[in-house]
Amino acid sequence: MGGESLNERNKAIALMCMLVCFWGLDYVFAKDALEVLQPMNLLFLKYSVGFLVLLAIKLKMDRKTIVRLKDIPWFILCSLTGEILYFFCEYNAMDYIPVSLITIILSFVPAISIIIERVVFKKKPTGKIILGVLCGIAGVIIVIGADFRELLNGRMVGYLLAFGAVISWNCYNFITAKVSESYNSATMSFTQLTCTVLMVMPYALHTMPPAEDFTPGVIGGIIYLGCVSAGIGFFILVHGLKILGPTISAMFSNFLPVTATLFGWMFLGETIGVMQFVGGVIVIASSCVVISEKGKMEERLNDRETEPDDAD
């Protein structure tokens, strides 16, 4: 049983690594689209395409499971926190503080996750986990190469919005991890995305630009974002939260500045300096330490819970 669990965990980690590559490539495809579309327009269009992908996955993997009425408010809350509120805070923060500072603030997601686990669930992190999270934040700062003089130029509302994104993402992670105990990944991801599309639809359709603004490049970007990032990516994210839990899954968010920088170099002609390379190594190494240590900690907790049953 332990071997099966470890194998499932390793598969989930491999899929999450694939996911951060998908999401890192988002910046390349979203760049042109956001010159034509508002963020909520793009969110609606890519999730509408993703909805079709997840519908196919749902029909293939699980046609029988029906969401219980009492759980629908939880699915709506997942959509509000993980998609609508998160992107609202992140995108609007860009009007007040530089993107580099927003990225650094978002790297605190794993740290807040550990605090929530400690305060709410009484799970005490090891010293290696705390050190790994702090090193991960430092690595992100190096990759971004932020000028800390910008800290004094930012407006307070921008910082509040960015931290709002951190809190909303953590809420989404913990709620999804809890609700997924009763549903498989296909049903979870399909239902969440359905809620998101329905809630964003009225505003998105009202503000949608005319059809002639949709160039082949924009349409191609939407198809990629919908099929790969929103469809397959959303399924992987929910599966990762179900298998790995909120904190380990949150650690993978620190890889995004690394993959985004790499793809920016490959496709957009952006440069990668020595310090960015060093920062990337720090992020990857520290994340591996946290993922490994968190896995060992969870195994010890599971062993303690199963000891009385084994004795019987």
Side-chain angles (χ1 to χ4, degrees):
M1 189 70 177
E4 291 177 3
S5 299
L6 182 60
N7 188 44
E8 190 73 19
R9 175 187 168 84
N10 290 337
K11 286 181 181 178
I13 289 173
L15 287 171
M16 289 296 287
C17 289
M18 187 186 304
L19 175 62
V20 294
C21 291
F22 290 161
W23 284 357
L25 199 55
D26 272 13
Y27 295 95
V28 176
F29 288 97
K31 187 175 182 181
D32 290 337
L34 286 172
E35 292 181 1
V36 175
L37 302 168
Q38 294 183 26
M40 288 298 108
N41 296 145
L42 181 58
L43 193 70
F44 169 72
L45 290 173
K46 79 172 187 177
Y47 282 167
S48 296
V49 176
F51 168 83
L52 299 177
V53 174
L54 285 173
L55 176 61
I57 294 174
K58 166 73 171 167
L59 293 175
K60 177 70 174 177
M61 296 182 63
D62 179 23
R63 297 189 179 192
K64 297 180 180 180
T65 302
I66 299 175
V67 175
R68 296 172 299 194
L69 288 176
K70 68 176 185 178
D71 290 332
I72 291 178
W74 291 111
F75 281 104
I76 294 174
L77 193 57
C78 285
S79 297
L80 284 172
T81 55
E83 301 302 329
I84 299 172
L85 183 59
Y86 172 80
F87 283 108
F88 173 84
C89 290
E90 181 181 344
Y91 290 146
N92 281 282
M94 295 177 187
D95 293 333
Y96 301 96
I97 59 177
V99 174
S100 58
L101 293 184
I102 295 173
T103 305
I104 292 171
I105 292 171
L106 292 178
S107 70
F108 281 86
V109 167
I112 300 300
S113 181
I114 287 176
I115 293 172
I116 293 173
E117 284 196 334
R118 181 71 180 96
V119 174
V120 179
F121 300 100
K122 310 303 180 185
K123 293 182 179 181
K124 186 177 180 180
T126 65
K128 287 184 179 180
I129 290 177
I130 295 174
L131 181 61
V133 170
L134 294 177
C135 288
I137 294 171
V140 170
I141 292 173
I142 294 173
V143 171
I144 298 302
D147 184 351
F148 282 95
R149 287 173 297 184
E150 294 176 335
L151 287 170
L152 302 177
N153 297 327
R155 293 170 60 182
M156 181 56 64
V157 65
Y159 293 107
L160 292 175
L161 285 167
F163 275 109
V166 171
I167 299 300
S168 63
W169 188 248
N170 268 295
C171 289
Y172 167 79
N173 284 347
F174 279 95
I175 296 170
T176 298
K178 180 62 178 176
V179 178
S180 65
E181 295 175 1
S182 304
Y183 298 96
N184 58 43
S185 301
T187 299
M188 280 291 300
S189 53
F190 173 74
T191 308
Q192 285 186 13
L193 206 59
T194 301
C195 292
T196 302
V197 170
L198 291 176
M199 285 189 288
V200 174
M201 182 187 296
Y203 175 82
L205 293 179
H206 179 70
T207 58
M208 194 68 66
E212 54 267 23
D213 288 350
F214 288 81
T215 64
V218 171
I219 294 172
I222 291 171
I223 292 173
Y224 168 82
L225 293 170
C227 291
V228 180
S229 178
I232 298 173
F234 206 73
F235 176 80
I236 292 173
L237 173 63
V238 171
H239 181 70
L241 285 165
K242 182 179 179 69
I243 302 298
L244 303 174
T247 300
I248 294 180
S249 298
M251 256 336 270
F252 284 93
S253 63
N254 282 351
F255 285 103
L256 285 177
V258 179
T259 55
T261 300
L262 177 62
F263 288 127
W265 170 71
M266 292 174 63
F267 298 107
L268 300 177
E270 298 175 356
T271 58
I272 296 179
V274 175
M275 292 305 294
Q276 287 178 305
F277 179 80
V278 171
V281 171
I282 292 173
V283 169
I284 294 171
S286 60
S287 298
C288 288
V289 169
V290 172
I291 291 168
S292 175
E293 283 296 306
K294 194 69 171 62
K296 293 176 183 177
M297 191 174 79
E298 295 293 338
E299 285 177 9
R300 287 194 293 268
L301 290 173
N302 290 335
D303 289 341
R304 290 173 189 168
E305 291 176 357
T306 55
E307 277 177 5
D309 296 332
D310 293 341
D312 292 340

